[in-house]
């Protein structure tokens, strides 16, 4: 009984999927975990706003468009997962000590992917397979004028 209650206290996390040249962008935490960029929303901040802010704070990337993909409940968080189209050069900043790319992960780092990160990326790949042309069209439009969100 207690467990069903505890889900209400899971933090609300904004989680970002950003596809770069070398794959989906990942941040490495001080605890050596690999996560998708993102974090908790501040008081009065929507999770979309949090996604855009956290992406900038952790990776220096500027979002130009964001699409809500899906909700994901993990053991520790309630995620709202957004697909962000961004520009800039990714640099690890704030609480990201390094950046990696899912498609080019060194074998020793793959073991450090959080279970939620794996699940979210798998889910995203299924969505992407179905909507690739929409994502490509959106990217072309957004990066033409580079208007920041």
């Amino acid at each position: 009984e207690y467990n069903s209650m505890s889900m209400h206290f899971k933090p609300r996390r904004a989680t970002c999927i950003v596809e770069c040249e070398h794959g989906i962008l990942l941040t490495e935490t001080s605890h050596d975990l690999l996560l998708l960029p993102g974090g908790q929303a501040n008081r009065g901040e929507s999770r979309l706003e949090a996604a855009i802010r956290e992406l900038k704070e952790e990776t220096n990337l500027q979002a130009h468009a964001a699409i809500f993909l899906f909700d994901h409940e993990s053991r520790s968080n309630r995620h709202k997962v957004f697909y962000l189209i961004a520009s800039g050069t990714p640099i690890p900043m704030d609480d990201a000590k390094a950046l990696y790319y899912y498609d080019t992960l060194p074998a020793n780092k793959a073991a450090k992917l959080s279970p939620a990160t794996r699940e979210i990326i798998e889910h995203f790949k299924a969505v992407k397979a179905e909507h690739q042309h929409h994502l490509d069209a959106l990217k072309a439009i957004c990066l033409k004028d580079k208007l920041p969100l």
Side-chain angles (χ1 to χ4, degrees):
E1 187 54 37
Y2 174 72
N3 255 357
S4 64
M5 288 296 294
S6 68
M7 71 176 217
H8 297 293
F9 303 110
K10 283 185 188 174
R12 293 165 50 248
R13 188 181 199 271
T15 298
C16 307
I17 290 189
V18 180
E19 293 186 291
C20 298
E21 204 182 327
H22 305 296
I24 295 168
L25 185 62
L26 299 166
T27 63
E28 186 174 28
T29 70
S30 57
H31 305 298
D32 299 326
L33 260 185
L34 294 186
L35 306 175
L36 290 160
Q40 287 183 38
N42 294 328
R43 187 182 291 275
E45 181 181 47
S46 73
R47 273 184 280 181
L48 173 59
E49 290 165 326
I52 294 162
R53 174 182 56 74
E54 288 279 357
L55 182 69
K56 182 86 176 138
E57 285 175 7
E58 293 179 353
T59 71
N60 194 44
L61 292 179
Q62 175 63 58
H64 299 281
I67 307 168
F68 170 69
L69 290 175
F70 49 80
D71 287 300
H72 178 85
E73 182 149 341
S74 69
R75 214 167 44 82
S76 47
N77 288 288
R78 282 159 50 208
H79 300 259
K80 275 208 181 299
V81 181
F82 297 93
Y83 183 84
L84 276 71
I85 291 167
S87 64
T89 303
I91 310 166
M93 303 196 312
D94 194 34
D95 46 11
K97 73 170 191 182
L99 301 177
Y100 289 93
Y101 300 92
Y102 184 76
D103 305 19
T104 54
L105 259 190
N108 64 323
K109 292 291 176 187
K112 300 288 192 179
L113 279 164
S114 79
T117 299
R118 279 179 203 279
E119 290 164 13
I120 289 167
I121 289 174
E122 286 312 306
H123 187 168
F124 165 66
K125 284 182 167 175
V127 171
K128 179 182 157 82
E130 209 177 321
H131 298 287
Q132 184 65 64
H133 55 292
H134 293 124
L135 298 178
D136 289 343
L138 187 67
K139 198 170 281 188
I141 293 163
C142 295
L143 295 181
K144 186 169 60 82
D145 299 328
K146 291 221 166 90
L147 297 172
L149 279 183

